[in-house]
Amino acid sequence: MEILSEILRVVTSKADIKKIFPELTSSRKEDNMTALFVKNLLEGSIDSDKTAAHLLYGGDRQDPRYRTLKSRVYDRLLHAVLLLQVRQPEHSLYLSSYYKCSRNLIAAQTLMRFASRRAGTYIAERSLSIAERFQFTDVQLALNILLRSSAGVSRRRHDFYRYHNEVNRLMATYQAELESDFLLDQAIIESMLTSRKIEELQELLKTSSETISGFVKEYGTNSLRLNSFRIRVMYAETMEDHQQSVAVSEEALNYLNNHAEFAQPARLGEFALNKINSCICLRRFDEALTIADLSVEAFTEGGNNWYMSLDSSFVAAINAGAYERAEEFYTLATRHRRFHLQSEVQRERWITYGAYLHLAQGFGLCRLSTARSSPFRLGTYMNSVTEFTKDKRFANSLVLTAQLGFLTQLGDYEAVERRIEYLRTYAARYLRERRFDRTRLFIRVLTQFPRFSFDPKTIRRDAADLIQELKNTGTEPMPGDVNELIPYELFIESMLTTVDLQNALA
């Protein structure tokens, strides 16, 4: 059922559904079952064969009437895949050309198998020129094999050997592309293994990068170049060389911008997002924001990549102090109709992002728009129980920090002291790596508040060296797992200013 729903989702978004399923607008009795089945699939109200069979026929999944109906709908959906409206301006020239070439390849193969070799050859020859322009190696190979066969049947010796030589050349190129795909996928899978030593992964990435770079020099196709950029970014990130990651991402973006025939929005978005994430690690938030819109607009709204792009763009914006833009990204994410389909961890993350916007407003750093998607319930957020688990360590540190900020704004200094102790214990348990030195230093500064009885003047004087040390770390790389939204120096100063104001009003 999931397969049918997925195919239907693509077909309904890229084809004329009324032409494919005229039953949806028909009043004929015999069309009702098909219309009911398709409508419920579109609405997502059918989750299994059992549910569908009972709804349609009052029977079980083995009901022959249901099995026949499902088979017919499946066949019509597959047929509809060949009739998609994949064309500009909605789709890139690259994607629309690939779809056209793939569809024409199937048509040429089918015609030749049904003894219409002349028509099949004509379609194959016309499609080959398009495939060559865009370097669709897989399609080029299949078309040349068809044309070689046609030339053999027609006894065209010159054409036969010409296509044969192309087949051999393309087979070597395609083999290199397949190998590069394997090396990239292998690197991704191996990077997910927590048991693998980082040195082993770095060596694997280095070797794979060198191999793919060799393929690029020998064959130079677009597919190989993109894979080379990808694995070089992965290697740089694994080495924590964020400068190099930015450089490779910029090289990829320049390549795509200089080769319009290969420039797809998703590819531009992919490398723009890589650059944003690397700039965040380098604390170059303003630079990250310059391409945030490019990244967000490159992906399909509501998709995983779109949400990832919004997430990174929000982090860059709020750290840069661009609170209005941060709120725009937050609103886009949380108001979208697919927000409830995101994982629980992702939804919790966006709740935390919303909390930090309100926290910034409470500190007087910004003024939020009145057109928020939903009201922020401080009491609910303050009473939320943080699960002290290692896999949520970064989110937990963000939550604890936000909570002590809100408590400061409420003037509940006893509760602030308890939260600081929670955070100190938490960091000692879960944030012990060297990359969290800045976070642990931030917590040391926080402990000065209860130590000096929340007296801003004394804290500024007696903890001046510690505060300056924190400021000096402001250019150090940020961990890939972001645990800082309002920069720590600004957070401390905002707390001091808040306490100052409260003391003046007391």
Side-chain angles (χ1 to χ4, degrees), residues 330 350-352 354-356 358-359 361 368 372-384 402-403 406 410:
Y330 172 84
W350 281 105
I351 290 171
T352 298
Y356 269 83
H358 280 276
L359 185 64
Q361 179 173 249
L368 298 178
R372 292 297 302 277
S373 57
S374 60
F376 176 70
R377 296 177 176 85
L378 179 58
T380 302
Y381 189 76
M382 294 304 300
N383 293 325
S384 62
Q403 288 179 343
F406 283 123
L410 293 171

Side-chain angles (χ1 to χ4, degrees), residues 176-185 187 204-232:
E177 292 182 352
L178 292 176
E179 181 66 15
S180 75
D181 288 341
F182 164 76
L183 291 174
L184 184 63
D185 291 338
L204 174 65
L205 287 167
K206 180 181 178 182
T207 302
S208 299
S209 179
E210 291 171 349
T211 300
I212 296 176
S213 294
F215 290 152
V216 171
K217 290 179 181 179
E218 186 169 0
Y219 303 106
T221 66
N222 177 60
S223 176
L224 289 169
R225 292 184 188 279
L226 292 179
N227 281 349
S228 178
F229 292 135
R230 290 174 179 130
I231 204 155
R232 286 167 59 196

Side-chain angles (χ1 to χ4, degrees), residues 23-38:
E23 295 92 341
L24 293 174
T25 58
S26 172
S27 59
R28 295 193 308 168
K29 184 177 180 180
E30 58 269 29
D31 290 342
N32 288 345
M33 287 304 178
T34 301
L36 185 61
F37 185 40
V38 173

Side-chain angles (χ1 to χ4, degrees), residues 109-371:
Q109 291 172 327
T110 302
L111 287 168
M112 287 189 182
R113 282 172 172 76
F114 282 92
S116 183
R117 188 167 294 278
R118 183 178 177 181
T121 299
Y122 174 79
I123 293 172
E125 288 175 340
R126 294 194 63 182
S127 302
L128 182 58
S129 61
I130 301 174
E132 289 174 342
R133 177 187 173 191
F134 293 96
Q135 298 181 4
F136 301 143
T137 307
D138 55 339
V139 178
Q140 286 179 260
L141 178 59
L143 289 171
N144 273 281
I145 290 173
L146 279 180
L147 292 170
R148 182 184 64 181
S149 174
S150 182
V153 171
S154 303
R155 304 295 188 268
R156 290 181 284 115
R157 183 174 182 274
H158 175 75
D159 289 340
F160 176 78
Y161 283 112
R162 176 165 61 87
Y163 289 127
H164 179 67
N165 290 335
E166 273 297 284
V167 167
N168 288 335
R169 183 186 68 81
L170 290 165
M171 284 180 65
T173 304
Y174 193 40
Q175 179 62 41
E177 292 182 352
L178 292 176
E179 181 66 15
S180 75
D181 288 341
F182 164 76
L183 291 174
L184 184 63
D185 291 338
Q186 178 189 43
I188 294 172
I189 290 173
E190 293 299 319
S191 67
M192 297 171 64
L193 296 178
T194 56
S195 58
R196 176 175 283 280
K197 294 181 179 179
I198 187 64
E199 294 81 10
E200 294 176 351
L201 180 61
Q202 289 169 346
E203 184 60 31
L204 174 65
L205 287 167
K206 180 181 178 182
T207 302
S208 299
S209 179
E210 291 171 349
T211 300
I212 296 176
S213 294
F215 290 152
V216 171
K217 290 179 181 179
E218 186 169 0
Y219 303 106
T221 66
N222 177 60
S223 176
L224 289 169
R225 292 184 188 279
L226 292 179
N227 281 349
S228 178
F229 292 135
R230 290 174 179 130
I231 204 155
R232 286 167 59 196
V233 167
M234 285 187 66
Y235 179 57
E237 290 175 347
T238 306
M239 297 294 293
E240 296 186 1
D241 188 349
H242 306 301
Q243 294 276 12
Q244 179 63 15
S245 180
V246 169
V248 176
S249 297
E250 289 178 341
E251 184 182 346
L253 290 170
N254 289 333
Y255 165 76
L256 290 170
N257 287 325
N258 291 329
H259 295 79
E261 67 274 22
F262 301 139
Q264 306 174 71
R267 298 290 74 77
L268 290 166
E270 172 188 349
F271 292 107
L273 182 55
N274 286 337
K275 181 179 177 180
I276 290 172
N277 289 332
S278 296
C279 284
I280 288 173
C281 289
L282 294 168
R283 301 184 187 275
R284 287 155 49 177
F285 304 116
D286 290 331
E287 184 176 349
L289 277 179
T290 61
I291 57 171
D293 289 336
L294 168 63
S295 178
V296 172
E297 293 169 3
F299 299 116
T300 302
E301 283 193 14
N304 289 335
N305 289 333
W306 186 72
Y307 267 103
M308 288 172 59
S309 185
L310 282 174
D311 189 305
S312 297
S313 297
F314 176 91
V315 171
I318 195 169
N319 272 281
Y323 298 105
E324 288 186 3
R325 293 202 67 189
E327 187 180 11
E328 289 174 4
F329 295 131
Y330 172 84
T331 303
L332 273 175
T334 56
R335 281 187 174 181
H336 197 273
R337 58 186 174 80
R338 293 182 63 84
F339 179 68
H340 72 284
L341 299 177
Q342 303 308 301
S343 69
E344 182 181 356
V345 172
Q346 289 173 315
R347 293 197 305 273
E348 287 180 356
R349 194 170 181 88
W350 281 105
I351 290 171
T352 298
Y353 289 169
Y356 269 83
L357 285 174
H358 280 276
L359 185 64
Q361 179 173 249
F363 279 144
L365 300 175
C366 66
R367 185 174 181 179
L368 298 178
S369 167
T370 56

